[in-house]
Amino acid sequence: MSLACDIIPAQWHRHSCLCAFATPTTLQLADAALSVPSQILIANLELEFKLSSIRINDLKFSNRKFFAIFHPEFQPNSAQLPASTVFFSSIQPLVSSFQNLIVTPRLEFLAKPRKQTPHLISNRYKTQVFLSHSAGDLFSQATNHEPPVTSHSFPAATLSSPMVQRFCEVALPVPLRSTFTYAVPASFNGEELIGRRVVVPFRNRAMVGVGLALSDRAPEIAGGKKSIKEIVELMDSLPALPPKLIELGQWISRYYVAPIGETMRAMLPPEIEVRHDREYSLSDAGRAYLAQLTSGVETTEEESTERALLERVDDEDGAASSTQIRRWSGGEAAAERLVRRGYLSAREVLRKRRTRTQKILAWNPAPTDSPAQTDPPAKTGLPKNDAEEKIKEVLTAVRGPLPLAILAAKAGVSRAVILRLEKKGRLLSWEEPLTIEEDSWDTDFTPPTNVLNAEQKRALEEIWRWIVTGKFAAALLHGVTGSGKTEVYLGAIEAALSRGKTAIVLVPEIALTLWVGRLVRARFGASVAVLHSGLPDIERAREWWRVRHGEAKVVVGTRSAVFAPLENVGLIIVDEEQESSYKQEETPRYNGRDTAVYRAQLEGAVAILGSATPSLETYHNARAGKYHLLELTSRVENRSLAEVRIVDLREEFRREHRATPVSETLRAAIQLRLEEGTQAMILINRRGYSWSLLCRSCGSMIQCQNCSIALTYHKTRQRLECHYCGYSIRPPKECPKCKAEYLYFVGDGAERVEEYLREQFPKARIARLDRDTVRTKREYQQVLGAFAGGEIDILVGTQMVAKGHDFQRVTLVGVVAADLALGRPDFRAAEKTFQLLTQVAGRAGRGELSGEVLVETYYPEHYAIQCAVKQDYVSFYEKEAHFRRMLHYPPFAALASILIRDRKIENAIRWSRALAGFFEPFENRGVKILGPAAAPLARLRREYRFQFVLKSPKRSALSGALSGCLDFCASKDIPETAVIVDVDPASLS
């Protein structure tokens, strides 16, 4: 039996495949065992269908082995030959050896003219369609026209006649808890739709969704509709989402009570192939209005603008895009006015983007003509032949194929010389999509030493053992700051890759992807991809599809990278797993850490949750035996932890009789470091110059007009700004309420601390790292690169400086206003304070020099601060867990938050009261209901907000209340967008 190379499933019907058999996964069959029945089968096929050159080839699909029957010369339109039961009886000898049969449209085409031919099963959607295991069953189905039986060991597929209309369930990115059914046009027969992005009509616009399921059963049509809309277009050549990711998305939708369409949208790549546009067209009323304006009557200036716009739309065959209209007089504002008056109609459309390309050139080893000696010299200063030789050297000996612009620069010639050589045939050229390359990060970066201590070796040996077994395992890697967790991660990735598996590494901040990505690339090279929302859409889509096509085996990214379309995943790492940034703050409100653990369970992979200060939930799971616990109790090379001291600001004020942005103790410590020539990091977790602007006469603060929060003063921009909605104003001269002039800036932010340090140390090199100074990846690289290179003495920043960085020359870390978070109305306030202080303390003394940490606070007795000073996580856990257990908070209860919002306060109150009545019976079913009450941020972006908090010791009871709540809202006509359900919220403030 001949063997052929692998053929991907999407090409089966293009390679004249008639049918295919799937071998049992537990059975390895030799060619000799099938030689006799194979020859019988080929002979019967040639006799039955009058075909020649039939062959049986070996191929693979979804890690399954298939034997496929091919006829390469077969053309469906050339003949219509019948099929009979001879064919089915001829394959009986093979059925005992093979499990399943897949019949393609080619054989189906041959078989359908014969009346006695049984209904064949089409693989038109590339879903798995299976017959019974027994040969007798197969024969009886073939002769009695009964539908085949689906195998219970695989997902059931749609079984139908080829002529029956198919329907596809499509998830659309709308805030609705349902999918939408579309008819599958006949032109898409043979195309795989499950997991594939499709373009469909939705209301008055086109939308991109993802196919989730196929069915032969037509849905009930309501509302007087006559037909079901069809799928318009398929976007990709292969499904964007593999089956495991679809299953993961469905779990997220159920667990986090999120609309399935918005969940799937979070998993898909950016839609760089299409762009959304608004198209305006003339209505009948608009044509009449245009005729009236052109009838010669006198018109106003506004009517003249409208007339010009309507005429331009009419000149464009009655329809124009918003892109065109923006360039016209009046623009979109005038167009929208005409839409409101009924003279124009508008609809959303999808347009294909033009792909930017660049010319790539390569040396042609067999030129079409010989070099002309009479050509004029090139305009580069080089003689003609010298220029040609230089180009040849660059393209052959030095680099290989290059873009036109780069080739001209490398060879030192003009574009004209290159284009002339291309015209003469000495250069080959083609167009490639223009991509954005990664920027290099020039710091003092050095790859890890790869030398493991005893604890690291033990941890890595355990992880290797779990990966080798190929079964799901979850573990907490609890190591103090500087203990070498990253080196364990790299060893675990190496273990996964050595077993033919893939790996995902999640980090909490986009900024850390630069550092961690470089570490991983230094070890594993080009097989690493970086995915996060901060990348430009084109770059992110490029990396996403590189992963989907199997070109990358390791993915580094933020929480959304948990949806990386890797297959055969063997390892998922969640670094700094305690960080609240893993929790999505908009729909779907999933937790990247918990989603990573569930995906590892689906994939049969190993999940490693790493942290020096793990969340109480994770540590509780490790203690309870749900997760394995791996501990690293000492720093690498036995370096000592930094000494941590408390600066009591109460005593500081009694001594100095004044409050300054930085205490005298911390100022003196900074002075000492400057004299020693080492570096200092100052953390203050507040942006801006001052927290707020206070009127000393009436006591009111200048508040945002859209949110119930005080505006933050930014001195550099001379603006009071809201960090929630973006509203900003210039600082007023007098109080808006009482008109008094006694306005006072309250509180110090990072900008004020930087200014104070510049005043105190005018010769020091000082920089600030926060969202106000760092907006782009390049700016972030420049600041951290300069600090790592010793070009900055003092780095002031928000929590961006607290995590993950490894600077060898930092010997002092100062924490300004360490107790800021303790006053927040959140049950996790103490935990977050402890984690932040411990993490930032870990930035000091990471090299050969010892480190010191100074913590400024007005509340030094608080257990979170005391434990952080001692860097004693276990003591903090015991204390905090005691309070959580008494008050029924996680990890001892399941928690959910429900937010009711609307721009009209009366609506928000009415809906909250209705929900309170719905929740009342659940008090007797093990669910504790708190609320409704005004949310801590009672008004946000002009919406009034009321909050419920639900707690239950049983997850099932809580889930029942949440799903019933949304059904109740639907029955009471409460808009789905007015109700926000947050399961396992990271914060209640």
Side-chain angles (χ1 to χ4, degrees):
M1 181 165 51
S2 61
L3 297 178
C5 59
D6 292 355
I7 300 173
I8 61 173
Q11 294 177 333
W12 285 8
H13 62 290
R14 298 173 192 159
H15 286 77
S16 305
C17 180
L18 301 178
C19 60
F21 300 91
T23 64
T25 55
T26 58
L27 182 61
Q28 298 298 325
L29 297 175
D31 292 353
L34 296 168
S35 59
V36 174
S38 298
Q39 296 302 320
I40 296 174
L41 174 60
I42 291 176
N44 281 321
L45 283 171
E46 291 176 344
L47 178 64
E48 176 65 20
F49 296 112
K50 297 181 175 60
L51 301 175
S52 60
S53 303
I54 291 177
R55 70 180 190 274
I56 298 181
N57 285 352
D58 181 25
L59 56 84
K60 289 183 180 179
F61 165 41
S62 298
N63 296 322
R64 296 291 309 282
K65 185 177 180 182
F66 284 84
F67 283 87
I69 303 171
F70 287 82
H71 179 253
E73 292 83 19
F74 172 61
Q75 298 296 329
N77 296 326
S78 64
Q80 292 189 0
L81 301 175
S84 72
T85 57
V86 175
F87 167 71
F88 294 97
S89 62
S90 69
I91 64 175
Q92 286 188 62
L94 289 179
V95 173
S96 59
S97 300
F98 292 98
Q99 281 186 318
N100 317 115
L101 167 66
I102 298 180
V103 178
T104 66
R106 291 185 180 273
L107 188 60
E108 177 184 287
F109 180 87
L110 287 174
K112 66 184 180 183
R114 188 83 163 255
K115 289 184 179 180
Q116 69 267 27
T117 302
H119 294 299
L120 295 177
I121 310 306
S122 172
N123 189 36
R124 69 177 66 242
Y125 296 109
K126 302 300 178 294
T127 52
Q128 295 156 319
V129 183
F130 304 105
L131 296 182
S132 168
H133 289 229
S134 81
D137 289 345
L138 176 64
F139 184 76
S140 64
Q141 290 166 12
T143 55
N144 296 326
H145 308 268
E146 294 176 0
V149 180
T150 59
S151 169
H152 295 291
S153 60
F154 295 92
T158 303
L159 303 178
S160 69
S161 165
M163 302 303 294
V164 174
Q165 173 66 60
R166 305 297 180 94
F167 300 93
C168 183
E169 295 295 322
V170 177
L172 293 175
V174 292
L176 301 174
R177 298 168 59 209
S178 60
T179 57
F180 299 87
T181 304
Y182 289 86
V184 179
S187 58
F188 293 157
N189 289 349
E191 297 288 353
E192 185 171 1
L193 297 182
I194 304 299
R196 198 163 178 180
R197 292 190 298 175
V198 297
V199 179
V200 296
F202 184 75
R203 295 179 179 169
N204 65 338
R205 56 179 174 160
M207 294 190 74
V208 176
V210 59
L212 296 184
L214 290 168
S215 175
D216 290 340
R217 183 177 299 176
E220 296 181 5
I221 301 177
K225 294 182 180 178
K226 296 182 180 180
S227 62
I228 299 173
K229 294 179 180 179
E230 288 190 340
I231 295 173
V232 174
E233 188 177 353
L234 306 181
M235 288 189 61
D236 311 307
S237 59
L238 82 163
L241 299 181
K244 291 288 176 62
L245 276 187
I246 293 178
E247 189 174 351
L248 180 66
Q250 290 168 338
W251 173 80
I252 290 173
S253 179
R254 292 192 306 270
Y255 184 87
Y256 293 102
V257 200
I260 184 65
E262 295 192 333
T263 301
M264 292 298 172
R265 176 176 59 180
M267 306 173 80
L268 291 169
E271 296 172 9
I272 61 170
E273 303 88 352
V274 295
R275 60 181 174 85
H276 295 265
D277 204 351
R278 192 165 170 83
E279 186 176 81
Y280 298 88
S281 56
L282 272 174
S283 63
D284 292 339
R287 295 184 189 280
Y289 182 57
L290 178 59
Q292 176 186 336
L293 293 176
T294 55
S295 61
V297 298
E298 187 175 348
T299 58
T300 63
E301 183 178 349
E302 180 177 331
E303 287 175 334
S304 298
T305 301
E306 292 175 348
R307 171 187 169 181
L309 192 146
L310 291 173
E311 286 177 339
R312 295 288 296 271
V313 173
D314 195 31
D315 291 341
E316 298 288 337
D317 296 327
S321 68
S322 57
T323 306
Q324 293 173 295
I325 285 181
R326 287 191 200 103
R327 298 193 291 264
W328 300 349
S329 176
E332 280 189 287
E336 290 297 331
R337 286 198 304 271
L338 292 169
V339 169
R340 289 193 292 271
R341 291 158 61 187
Y343 299 144
L344 287 177
S345 59
R347 67 188 184 105
E348 300 294 325
V349 295
L350 286 179
R351 303 188 190 278
K352 288 199 171 184
R353 292 183 189 268
R354 290 182 179 177
T355 303
R356 294 180 62 197
T357 61
Q358 59 183 346
K359 177 173 287 190
I360 306 296
L361 295 124
W363 186 257
N364 186 357
T368 56
D369 59 349
S370 58
Q373 302 298 327
T374 57
D375 286 345
K379 296 181 180 180
T380 59
L382 290 173
K384 165 70 181 60
N385 289 337
D386 288 350
E388 183 175 327
E389 287 300 319
K390 184 63 177 175
I391 293 171
K392 180 180 178 180
E393 180 186 358
V394 170
L395 290 178
T396 56
V398 180
R399 295 295 297 272
L402 285 173
L404 174 60
I406 296 177
L407 175 58
K410 295 290 182 184
V413 300
S414 68
R415 293 189 177 211
V417 172
I418 297 173
L419 295 176
R420 187 163 55 247
L421 289 174
E422 178 196 4
K423 187 176 181 181
K424 292 179 177 294
R426 297 190 186 99
L427 295 178
L428 302 174
S429 67
W430 61 89
E431 296 289 326
E432 284 187 2
L434 185 63
T435 58
I436 302 170
E437 298 300 329
E438 278 286 330
D439 292 327
S440 59
W441 185 12
D442 296 322
T443 68
D444 61 350
F445 168 78
T446 54
T449 61
N450 302 328
V451 177
L452 302 179
N453 60 30
E455 287 184 326
Q456 289 173 311
K457 287 179 181 178
R458 282 196 297 271
L460 195 52
E461 286 170 1
E462 285 293 302
I463 297 171
W464 267 84
R465 185 170 58 82
W466 299 330
I467 291 175
V468 168
T469 59
K471 295 181 180 179
F472 165 69
L476 167 62
L477 180 61
H478 182 204
V480 298
T481 56
S483 59
K485 293 185 290 294
T486 302
E487 189 60 37
V488 176
Y489 298 156
L490 295 174
I493 296 170
E494 186 176 351
L497 295 180
S498 71
R499 305 293 296 182
K501 304 281 189 177
T502 57
I504 299 173
V505 182
L506 302 183
V507 293
E509 303 280 352
I510 291 176
L512 290 178
T513 60
L514 300 172
W515 174 254
V516 177
R518 259 200 129 201
L519 286 170
V520 179
R521 277 183 174 150
R523 179 76 68 89
F524 304 107
S527 65
V528 179
V530 175
L531 287 175
H532 57 76
S533 59
L535 294 173
D537 281 351
I538 293 176
E539 188 175 353
R540 185 153 55 105
R542 180 195 66 185
E543 289 286 89
W544 197 96
W545 282 108
R546 199 163 71 88
V547 174
R548 182 67 182 99
H549 288 122
E551 298 171 18
K553 303 298 182 183
V554 183
V555 171
V556 178
T558 51
R559 63 173 176 261
S560 60
V562 74
F563 303 133
L566 286 169
E567 298 195 73
N568 198 23
V569 176
L571 176 70
I572 303 179
I573 295 169
V574 185
D575 189 30
E576 306 293 354
E577 61 81 26
Q578 81 284 352
E579 288 298 329
S580 59
S581 55
Y582 281 120
K583 188 71 163 71
Q584 175 98 334
E585 294 302 325
E586 53 192 33
T587 305
R589 289 176 165 77
Y590 67 93
N591 189 306
R593 175 199 63 208
D594 299 338
T595 303
V597 173
Y598 190 81
R599 181 171 184 186
Q601 187 174 349
L602 285 178
E603 302 271 5
V606 176
I608 304 296
L609 312 180
S611 178
T613 56
S615 65
L616 262 73
E617 292 89 338
T618 300
Y619 195 73
H620 176 76
N621 285 337
R623 277 195 161 188
K626 187 175 180 181
Y627 297 163
H628 301 280
L629 179 60
L630 305 173
E631 293 188 295
L632 305 176
T633 57
S634 61
R635 283 187 163 183
V636 294
E637 299 180 3
N638 292 320
R639 293 171 184 160
S640 60
L641 292 170
E643 179 189 359
V644 183
R645 292 194 293 130
I646 290 178
V647 178
D648 190 340
L649 293 179
R650 298 171 301 184
E651 293 297 327
E652 186 91 12
F653 184 78
R654 292 190 190 103
R655 186 170 59 250
E656 302 293 335
H657 299 291
R658 63 191 179 94
T660 56
V662 172
S663 66
E664 179 59 28
T665 304
L666 180 55
R667 193 203 67 79
I670 295 172
Q671 177 69 51
L672 179 62
R673 267 59 185 189
L674 292 175
E675 293 171 359
E676 293 175 346
T678 58
Q679 293 174 302
M681 294 175 67
I682 309 299
L683 169 72
I684 175 168
N685 206 20
R686 279 276 191 173
R687 287 171 55 198
Y689 189 87
S690 294
W691 305 353
S692 57
L693 184 58
L694 173 72
C695 175
R696 288 182 167 180
S697 178
C698 67
S700 63
M701 290 186 175
I702 310 299
Q703 289 207 328
C704 174
Q705 67 175 12
N706 305 320
C707 312
S708 55
I709 193 141
L711 296 174
T712 301
Y713 176 55
H714 291 261
K715 186 176 182 180
T716 304
R717 298 192 288 270
Q718 283 295 309
R719 307 290 289 181
L720 288 167
E721 296 183 1
C722 175
H723 293 164
Y724 289 92
C725 71
Y727 172 76
S728 69
I729 58 173
R730 294 190 66 82
K733 301 289 186 182
E734 59 183 24
C735 175
K737 288 189 176 180
C738 68
K739 307 303 180 183
E741 299 179 357
Y742 307 108
L743 299 178
Y744 175 70
F745 290 107
V746 177
D748 297 320
E751 189 178 356
R752 172 68 180 114
V753 171
E754 180 195 18
E755 180 186 80
Y756 177 79
L757 292 177
R758 290 186 184 278
E759 294 169 355
Q760 296 296 311
F761 309 109
K763 295 183 179 180
R765 297 167 298 178
I766 302 173
R768 176 160 50 96
L769 188 69
D770 58 20
R771 291 187 194 175
D772 298 317
T773 59
V774 174
R775 294 283 184 177
T776 66
K777 180 173 69 176
R778 185 178 296 276
E779 290 173 340
Y780 181 86
Q781 291 172 347
Q782 289 172 347
V783 173
L784 284 188
F787 191 61
E791 300 171 20
I792 296 172
D793 300 315
I794 305 171
L795 181 63
V796 180
T798 56
Q799 63 181 357
M800 293 175 72
V801 306
K803 293 166 281 191
H805 306 299
D806 189 0
F807 300 113
Q808 302 289 306
R809 297 177 61 250
V810 173
T811 59
L812 173 68
V813 170
V815 184
V816 178
D819 44 21
L820 273 177
L822 288 176
R824 300 185 64 176
D826 186 2
F827 73 96
R828 286 195 172 94
E831 181 183 10
K832 291 178 179 178
T833 299
F834 171 82
Q835 289 169 345
L836 183 62
L837 295 181
T838 305
Q839 288 288 338
V840 75
R843 300 314 107 200
R846 297 178 73 93
E848 296 179 358
L849 303 174
S850 60
E852 182 183 24
V853 181
L854 297 180
V855 179
E856 296 183 353
T857 177
Y858 284 102
Y859 194 2
E861 300 87 2
H862 196 282
Y863 65 92
I865 294 176
Q866 288 291 334
C867 291
V869 167
K870 300 173 185 175
Q871 300 192 53
D872 184 356
Y873 176 81
V874 175
S875 296
F876 172 77
Y877 171 82
E878 298 289 355
K879 189 82 172 178
E880 182 70 9
H882 173 69
F883 293 131
R884 300 271 186 97
R885 188 181 289 107
M886 287 194 306
L887 298 174
H888 305 289
Y889 279 107
F892 306 101
L895 187 71
S897 167
I898 297 179
L899 203 65
I900 312 300
R901 60 181 183 176
D902 195 76
R903 291 202 169 192
K904 294 182 178 180
I905 191 171
E906 54 269 23
N907 286 345
I909 292 174
R910 185 175 72 254
W911 296 336
S912 298
R913 286 175 176 168
L915 271 179
F918 168 78
F919 282 132
E920 189 173 352
F922 286 91
E923 290 275 7
N924 300 323
R925 303 176 194 173
V927 181
K928 179 68 175 176
I929 312 294
L930 303 179
L937 197 57
R939 189 165 178 259
L940 181 66
R941 298 183 183 93
R942 299 187 179 182
E943 291 182 326
Y944 294 93
R945 298 151 33 106
F946 292 86
Q947 187 179 41
F948 291 87
V949 175
L950 279 64
K951 298 187 286 186
S952 177
K954 295 182 179 179
R955 174 73 60 180
S956 57
L958 182 65
S959 299
L962 295 177
S963 59
C965 154
L966 294 181
D967 293 336
F968 173 80
C969 291
S971 68
K972 296 297 182 181
D973 294 329
I974 300 175
E976 292 196 33
T977 53
V979 182
I980 297 176
V981 177
D982 192 358
V983 179
D984 301 334
S987 172
L988 295 178
S989 60

